Amino acid sequence: MRTWIAGALGALCSMVAGMAAAQELMVEKKTFELPSFTTQSGRTLKNVKVGWESYGTLNADKSNAILICHFFSGNSHAAGKYDAKDAAPGYWDAIIGPGKAIDTNKYFVLSSDTLVNLNTGDPKTTTTGPASSDPDTGKPYALDFPIVTVRDFIEVQKALVESLGIKKLALVAGPSMGSLQTYEWAATYPEMVAKAMPVIGAAEADAMLIAWLDVWAAPILVDPNWNNGNYYGRTAPLAGLAKALTAVTLQANHADWANATFGRRPAKEGEEPGKALANRFQVQSVLDNAGEARAKVSDANHFLYLIKANQLFAAGGTSLKEGLAKIKAPVLLITQPKDLVFTPDLIARTADGLKQAGGNVTQVFIEGSRGHLDGVISMKQAEGAIREFLEK
């Protein structure tokens, strides 16, 4: 009898755990506002707003909070759905939720939009940047908006975290630009970060990355509609922004994906690329269409400000060596060896620097044909490593 009861209880526990894992995480988008915020450049902004969301419940002593930081073109929507009818959940839904690697039955997970967030046309994104109205003039800031840095991003996050009464984060994590924020958190506020999980990102932008980011920005700067950033109320530089986003999408992927998906097929049957200058390959057409669609809900100036923030990045605001020495938290570094944005040599410099500084670093590699994007769409591969890291 006891054996049967034990077995039944075990089966019931397994069933409940399975049901928890299968639960659809429903999310509400909220807004956090600071009456004033002084940037690292010394400018004080009024009425700074960012959107944020959370998953799970904050425990009594507020010790179970995890902060997720988003990538360059992303926003706070890391997991779950705003509505059951949504086509897809947040970008890291594979690892965040009930019973998942970052278990929302155990942890209170929060994520916020950054300053100068790209997605100004998305009603689920709230941000302050060049497209926002300056309270003093009632007009968009445009290029009068101050230069902001990754440090500024995390200072706004810190104010949000502290407004919830959270004094220490059990984990800070994020992919790509989210990893930059993770490094910045760990280097700038080591006493507030118990563990850090940077994904597909390095602790410093080197010269090659700075130059590539310039290539991303170039199509906007040569679009006559950009008008030195003064296009609000006029025709926006959508053509330049679309091409900029095409460049981002291409480099965020890998040749394995492009060759397997498109090969050398023409964009249209019967319109061979060799027969006319206007005839295109399928890969060109698909990437351009994606860039054009994304440009309609994005802002060109915000794109440029994000570029500058990424170019300026060095963890802790110092040299790579000094910045990594400030990091005290154990680090789980998750990367993709085929990454064309944060290349293996750039990642290796960060990993080696952490080790030389005496840091506790575990490196995990994920596989796939998408290169950099695998750090967003293929994260379930790292589920076991993440669980183990959090349980240590």
Side-chain angles (χ1 to χ4, degrees):
M1 179 63 76
R2 288 180 180 175
T3 302
W4 181 87
I5 292 172
L9 286 172
L12 180 61
C13 289
S14 296
M15 182 175 70
V16 170
M19 289 172 62
Q23 288 173 13
E24 191 73 80
L25 196 63
M26 301 308 296
V27 189
E28 177 189 358
K29 192 70 180 264
K30 308 166 198 172
T31 298
F32 174 69
E33 184 171 355
L34 286 169
S36 68
F37 174 75
T38 302
T39 67
Q40 295 299 300
S41 67
R43 275 276 300 279
T44 297
L45 299 169
K46 298 177 182 177
N47 303 331
V48 167
K49 297 179 181 179
V50 293
W52 71 285
E53 58 197 77
S54 62
Y55 331 98
T57 303
L58 190 61
N59 61 12
D61 64 1
K62 303 185 178 182
S63 63
N64 69 331
I66 287 177
L67 177 67
I68 304 297
C69 307
H70 70 71
F71 51 94
F72 184 93
S73 60
N75 64 8
S76 70
H77 198 35
K81 292 184 175 182
Y82 298 125
D83 188 284
K85 297 176 183 177
D86 289 352
Y91 63 87
W92 262 6
D93 193 75
I95 59 167
I96 299 171
K100 296 178 182 178
I102 299 176
D103 190 350
T104 52
N105 291 327
K106 297 179 181 179
Y107 297 103
F108 173 73
V109 183
L110 70 155
S111 179
S112 71
D113 302 330
T114 62
L115 294 172
V116 302
N117 189 283
L118 181 63
N119 307 284
T120 55
D122 176 1
K124 292 295 187 182
T125 300
T126 302
T127 187
T128 296
S132 305
S133 292
D134 181 345
D136 291 334
T137 66
K139 299 177 181 179
Y141 286 100
L143 298 196
D144 188 46
F145 197 79
I147 295 298
V148 288
T149 63
V150 172
R151 173 70 181 273
D152 288 311
F153 297 171
I154 75 155
E155 290 294 345
V156 175
Q157 292 166 356
K158 182 173 180 283
L160 167 61
V161 166
E162 290 178 336
S163 76
L164 300 172
I166 299 164
K167 295 181 179 179
K168 189 166 187 174
L169 294 159
L171 175 74
V172 179
S176 193
M177 191 180 81
S179 74
L180 308 191
Q181 295 166 73
T182 300
Y183 288 119
E184 189 71 12
W185 261 104
T188 305
Y189 295 108
E191 74 286 354
M192 288 187 69
V193 180
K195 294 178 181 179
M197 189 179 85
V199 178
I200 52 170
E204 182 183 62
D206 68 354
M208 193 67 175
L209 179 57
I210 290 168
W212 269 116
L213 290 167
D214 197 51
V215 171
W216 289 9
I220 294 171
L221 301 178
V222 298
D223 186 327
N225 288 328
W226 181 60
N227 192 33
N228 200 33
N230 295 310
Y231 54 83
Y232 300 109
R234 307 179 186 181
T235 302
L238 291 180
L241 179 56
K243 269 297 183 185
L245 289 163
T246 295
V248 175
T249 302
L250 179 60
Q251 196 171 4
N253 276 285
H254 190 269
D256 289 350
W257 164 78
N259 291 328
T261 305
F262 307 108
R264 293 177 53 82
R265 289 188 293 277
K268 292 183 180 179
E269 190 83 29
E271 294 187 3
E272 293 299 323
K275 292 183 178 179
L277 196 61
N279 292 359
R280 296 154 61 77
F281 289 96
Q282 188 182 47
V283 65
Q284 294 174 284
S285 178
V286 169
L287 287 171
D288 276 351
N289 289 342
E292 289 165 9
R294 190 62 190 269
K296 292 175 182 177
V297 293
S298 304
D299 182 82
N301 283 339
H302 281 233
F303 185 102
L304 297 175
Y305 273 73
L306 283 170
I307 289 289
K308 178 66 78 171
N310 281 261
Q311 288 175 319
L312 292 170
F313 177 70
T318 59
S319 69
L320 180 64
K321 182 177 180 180
E322 291 176 356
L324 294 177
K326 296 177 181 179
I327 296 175
K328 306 304 178 188
V331 174
L332 176 62
L333 176 55
I334 302 176
T335 58
Q336 218 285 26
K338 294 178 180 178
D339 195 330
L340 300 178
V341 180
F342 289 95
T343 54
D345 58 324
L346 186 52
I347 296 293
R349 285 201 291 278
T350 292
D352 292 345
L354 283 166
K355 293 170 186 174
Q356 290 167 12
N360 178 353
V361 56
T362 302
Q363 193 165 4
V364 171
F365 300 97
I366 52 178
E367 300 176 348
S369 64
R370 302 300 294 271
H372 187 67
L373 272 182
D374 279 315
V376 176
I377 65 176
S378 302
M379 281 296 288
K380 193 163 180 63
Q381 291 179 37
E383 185 174 28
I386 296 168
R387 287 184 190 276
E388 183 180 348
F389 182 63
L390 285 171
E391 290 169 1
K392 282 181 180 178

